[in-house]
mmCIF file of all heavy atoms in Angstrom:
data_model
loop_
_atom_site.group_PDB
_atom_site.id
_atom_site.type_symbol
_atom_site.label_atom_id
_atom_site.label_comp_id
_atom_site.label_asym_id
_atom_site.label_seq_id
_atom_site.Cartn_x
_atom_site.Cartn_y
_atom_site.Cartn_z
ATOM 1 N N PHE A 145 -9.473 -9.344 -48.232
ATOM 2 C CA PHE A 145 -9.699 -8.610 -49.500
ATOM 3 C C PHE A 145 -9.013 -7.292 -49.645
ATOM 4 O O PHE A 145 -8.403 -6.856 -50.666
ATOM 5 C CB PHE A 145 -11.200 -8.491 -49.674
ATOM 6 C CG PHE A 145 -11.869 -9.765 -50.178
ATOM 7 C CD1 PHE A 145 -12.824 -10.359 -49.349
ATOM 8 C CD2 PHE A 145 -11.583 -10.336 -51.443
ATOM 9 C CE1 PHE A 145 -13.372 -11.653 -49.759
ATOM 10 C CE2 PHE A 145 -12.050 -11.601 -51.826
ATOM 11 C CZ PHE A 145 -12.974 -12.283 -50.962
ATOM 12 N N GLN A 146 -8.957 -6.598 -48.510
ATOM 13 C CA GLN A 146 -8.282 -5.339 -48.486
ATOM 14 C C GLN A 146 -6.739 -5.578 -48.735
ATOM 15 O O GLN A 146 -6.179 -4.852 -49.579
ATOM 16 C CB GLN A 146 -8.424 -4.653 -47.084
ATOM 17 C CG GLN A 146 -9.709 -3.897 -47.050
ATOM 18 C CD GLN A 146 -9.851 -3.107 -45.741
ATOM 19 O OE1 GLN A 146 -8.922 -3.115 -44.918
ATOM 20 N NE2 GLN A 146 -10.987 -2.554 -45.526
ATOM 21 N N VAL A 147 -6.226 -6.525 -48.049
ATOM 22 C CA VAL A 147 -4.774 -6.826 -48.254
ATOM 23 C C VAL A 147 -4.525 -7.238 -49.721
ATOM 24 O O VAL A 147 -3.577 -6.848 -50.342
ATOM 25 C CB VAL A 147 -4.405 -7.964 -47.292
ATOM 26 C CG1 VAL A 147 -2.898 -8.477 -47.647
ATOM 27 C CG2 VAL A 147 -4.416 -7.448 -45.872
ATOM 28 N N LYS A 148 -5.521 -7.891 -50.310
ATOM 29 C CA LYS A 148 -5.258 -8.403 -51.629
ATOM 30 C C LYS A 148 -5.353 -7.166 -52.617
ATOM 31 O O LYS A 148 -4.513 -6.995 -53.467
ATOM 32 C CB LYS A 148 -6.499 -9.246 -52.039
ATOM 33 C CG LYS A 148 -6.254 -10.021 -53.252
ATOM 34 C CD LYS A 148 -7.363 -10.981 -53.575
ATOM 35 C CE LYS A 148 -7.384 -11.445 -55.013
ATOM 36 N NZ LYS A 148 -8.608 -12.200 -55.352
ATOM 37 N N GLN A 149 -6.264 -6.244 -52.383
ATOM 38 C CA GLN A 149 -6.354 -5.017 -53.146
ATOM 39 C C GLN A 149 -5.151 -4.162 -53.072
ATOM 40 O O GLN A 149 -4.652 -3.510 -54.016
ATOM 41 C CB GLN A 149 -7.572 -4.149 -52.734
ATOM 42 C CG GLN A 149 -8.787 -4.472 -53.592
ATOM 43 C CD GLN A 149 -9.979 -3.771 -53.070
ATOM 44 O OE1 GLN A 149 -9.963 -3.024 -52.022
ATOM 45 N NE2 GLN A 149 -11.087 -3.970 -53.824
ATOM 46 N N LEU A 150 -4.524 -4.173 -51.920
ATOM 47 C CA LEU A 150 -3.343 -3.418 -51.578
ATOM 48 C C LEU A 150 -2.112 -4.075 -52.274
ATOM 49 O O LEU A 150 -1.048 -3.556 -52.335
ATOM 50 C CB LEU A 150 -2.991 -3.215 -50.237
ATOM 51 C CG LEU A 150 -4.016 -2.151 -49.487
ATOM 52 C CD1 LEU A 150 -3.785 -2.387 -47.922
ATOM 53 C CD2 LEU A 150 -3.761 -0.858 -49.919
ATOM 54 N N GLY A 151 -2.309 -5.340 -52.815
ATOM 55 C CA GLY A 151 -1.217 -6.095 -53.392
ATOM 56 C C GLY A 151 -0.222 -6.568 -52.392
ATOM 57 O O GLY A 151 0.965 -6.644 -52.621
ATOM 58 N N LEU A 152 -0.708 -6.831 -51.183
ATOM 59 C CA LEU A 152 0.315 -7.270 -50.128
ATOM 60 C C LEU A 152 0.225 -8.764 -49.797
ATOM 61 O O LEU A 152 0.759 -9.126 -48.774
ATOM 62 C CB LEU A 152 0.017 -6.461 -48.881
ATOM 63 C CG LEU A 152 0.277 -4.912 -48.932
ATOM 64 C CD1 LEU A 152 -0.142 -4.214 -47.699
ATOM 65 C CD2 LEU A 152 1.797 -4.646 -49.271
ATOM 66 N N LEU A 153 -0.483 -9.479 -50.608
ATOM 67 C CA LEU A 153 -0.552 -10.965 -50.367
ATOM 68 C C LEU A 153 0.924 -11.497 -50.502
ATOM 69 O O LEU A 153 1.707 -10.942 -51.284
ATOM 70 C CB LEU A 153 -1.400 -11.653 -51.300
ATOM 71 C CG LEU A 153 -2.869 -11.368 -51.208
ATOM 72 C CD1 LEU A 153 -3.709 -12.240 -52.226
ATOM 73 C CD2 LEU A 153 -3.383 -11.718 -49.805
ATOM 74 N N ASN A 154 1.201 -12.447 -49.675
ATOM 75 C CA ASN A 154 2.519 -13.084 -49.652
ATOM 76 C C ASN A 154 3.690 -12.207 -49.263
ATOM 77 O O ASN A 154 4.839 -12.446 -49.534
ATOM 78 C CB ASN A 154 2.844 -13.655 -51.092
ATOM 79 C CG ASN A 154 1.923 -14.798 -51.398
ATOM 80 O OD1 ASN A 154 1.731 -15.705 -50.578
ATOM 81 N ND2 ASN A 154 1.390 -14.770 -52.655
ATOM 82 N N THR A 155 3.354 -11.171 -48.535
ATOM 83 C CA THR A 155 4.487 -10.285 -48.023
ATOM 84 C C THR A 155 4.295 -10.107 -46.543
ATOM 85 O O THR A 155 3.271 -10.313 -45.905
ATOM 86 C CB THR A 155 4.325 -8.820 -48.613
ATOM 87 O OG1 THR A 155 3.083 -8.263 -48.207
ATOM 88 C CG2 THR A 155 4.394 -8.854 -50.143
ATOM 89 N N VAL A 156 5.418 -9.714 -45.881
ATOM 90 C CA VAL A 156 5.418 -9.513 -44.472
ATOM 91 C C VAL A 156 4.443 -8.369 -44.116
ATOM 92 O O VAL A 156 3.680 -8.412 -43.144
ATOM 93 C CB VAL A 156 6.827 -9.333 -43.866
ATOM 94 C CG1 VAL A 156 6.762 -8.860 -42.421
ATOM 95 C CG2 VAL A 156 7.607 -10.623 -43.995
ATOM 96 N N PRO A 157 4.509 -7.189 -44.813
ATOM 97 C CA PRO A 157 3.543 -6.186 -44.526
ATOM 98 C C PRO A 157 2.117 -6.643 -44.473
ATOM 99 O O PRO A 157 1.334 -6.213 -43.718
ATOM 100 C CB PRO A 157 3.812 -5.041 -45.541
ATOM 101 C CG PRO A 157 5.248 -5.317 -45.860
ATOM 102 C CD PRO A 157 5.491 -6.796 -45.793
ATOM 103 N N GLY A 158 1.781 -7.490 -45.487
ATOM 104 C CA GLY A 158 0.464 -8.070 -45.543
ATOM 105 C C GLY A 158 0.142 -8.846 -44.304
ATOM 106 O O GLY A 158 -0.955 -8.757 -43.765
ATOM 107 N N LEU A 159 1.110 -9.645 -43.769
ATOM 108 C CA LEU A 159 0.851 -10.341 -42.570
ATOM 109 C C LEU A 159 0.691 -9.454 -41.422
ATOM 110 O O LEU A 159 -0.181 -9.643 -40.538
ATOM 111 C CB LEU A 159 2.121 -11.137 -42.341
ATOM 112 C CG LEU A 159 2.334 -12.556 -43.028
ATOM 113 C CD1 LEU A 159 3.645 -13.079 -42.744
ATOM 114 C CD2 LEU A 159 1.245 -13.490 -42.719
ATOM 115 N N LEU A 160 1.341 -8.276 -41.431
ATOM 116 C CA LEU A 160 1.335 -7.364 -40.290
ATOM 117 C C LEU A 160 -0.107 -6.654 -40.165
ATOM 118 O O LEU A 160 -0.394 -6.362 -39.001
ATOM 119 C CB LEU A 160 2.420 -6.322 -40.395
ATOM 120 C CG LEU A 160 3.871 -6.806 -39.985
ATOM 121 C CD1 LEU A 160 4.779 -5.742 -40.282
ATOM 122 C CD2 LEU A 160 3.869 -7.179 -38.550
ATOM 123 N N VAL A 161 -0.765 -6.489 -41.280
ATOM 124 C CA VAL A 161 -2.061 -5.853 -41.207
ATOM 125 C C VAL A 161 -2.876 -6.650 -40.165
ATOM 126 O O VAL A 161 -3.071 -7.797 -40.347
ATOM 127 C CB VAL A 161 -2.717 -5.826 -42.511
ATOM 128 C CG1 VAL A 161 -4.198 -5.244 -42.448
ATOM 129 C CG2 VAL A 161 -1.890 -4.911 -43.469
ATOM 130 N N GLY A 162 -3.444 -6.025 -39.193
ATOM 131 C CA GLY A 162 -4.180 -6.779 -38.152
ATOM 132 C C GLY A 162 -3.359 -7.245 -37.032
ATOM 133 O O GLY A 162 -3.871 -7.726 -35.982
ATOM 134 N N TYR A 163 -2.027 -6.980 -37.083
ATOM 135 C CA TYR A 163 -1.184 -7.361 -35.990
ATOM 136 C C TYR A 163 -0.369 -6.082 -35.518
ATOM 137 O O TYR A 163 0.814 -6.336 -35.061
ATOM 138 C CB TYR A 163 -0.308 -8.544 -36.346
ATOM 139 C CG TYR A 163 -1.059 -9.851 -36.173
ATOM 140 C CD1 TYR A 163 -1.800 -10.316 -37.313
ATOM 141 C CD2 TYR A 163 -0.939 -10.639 -35.044
ATOM 142 C CE1 TYR A 163 -2.505 -11.506 -37.169
ATOM 143 C CE2 TYR A 163 -1.677 -11.802 -34.950
ATOM 144 C CZ TYR A 163 -2.368 -12.200 -35.971
ATOM 145 O OH TYR A 163 -3.120 -13.417 -35.883
ATOM 146 N N LEU A 164 -0.809 -4.967 -35.773
ATOM 147 C CA LEU A 164 -0.107 -3.709 -35.392
ATOM 148 C C LEU A 164 -0.584 -3.187 -34.044
ATOM 149 O O LEU A 164 0.231 -2.451 -33.402
ATOM 150 C CB LEU A 164 -0.259 -2.661 -36.482
ATOM 151 C CG LEU A 164 0.320 -3.042 -37.861
ATOM 152 C CD1 LEU A 164 -0.035 -2.045 -38.880
ATOM 153 C CD2 LEU A 164 1.824 -3.228 -37.708
ATOM 154 N N VAL A 165 -1.815 -3.581 -33.788
ATOM 155 C CA VAL A 165 -2.338 -2.962 -32.516
ATOM 156 C C VAL A 165 -3.023 -3.991 -31.745
ATOM 157 O O VAL A 165 -3.656 -4.871 -32.300
ATOM 158 C CB VAL A 165 -3.452 -1.819 -32.819
ATOM 159 C CG1 VAL A 165 -4.067 -1.254 -31.596
ATOM 160 C CG2 VAL A 165 -2.913 -0.752 -33.654
#
Side-chain angles (χ1 to χ4, degrees):
Chain A
F145 284 114
Q146 275 182 8
V147 170
K148 193 178 166 191
Q149 267 177 354
L150 288 169
L152 292 176
L153 291 182
N154 293 315
T155 64
V156 171
L159 283 172
L160 281 173
V161 175
Y163 281 84
L164 296 173
V165 180

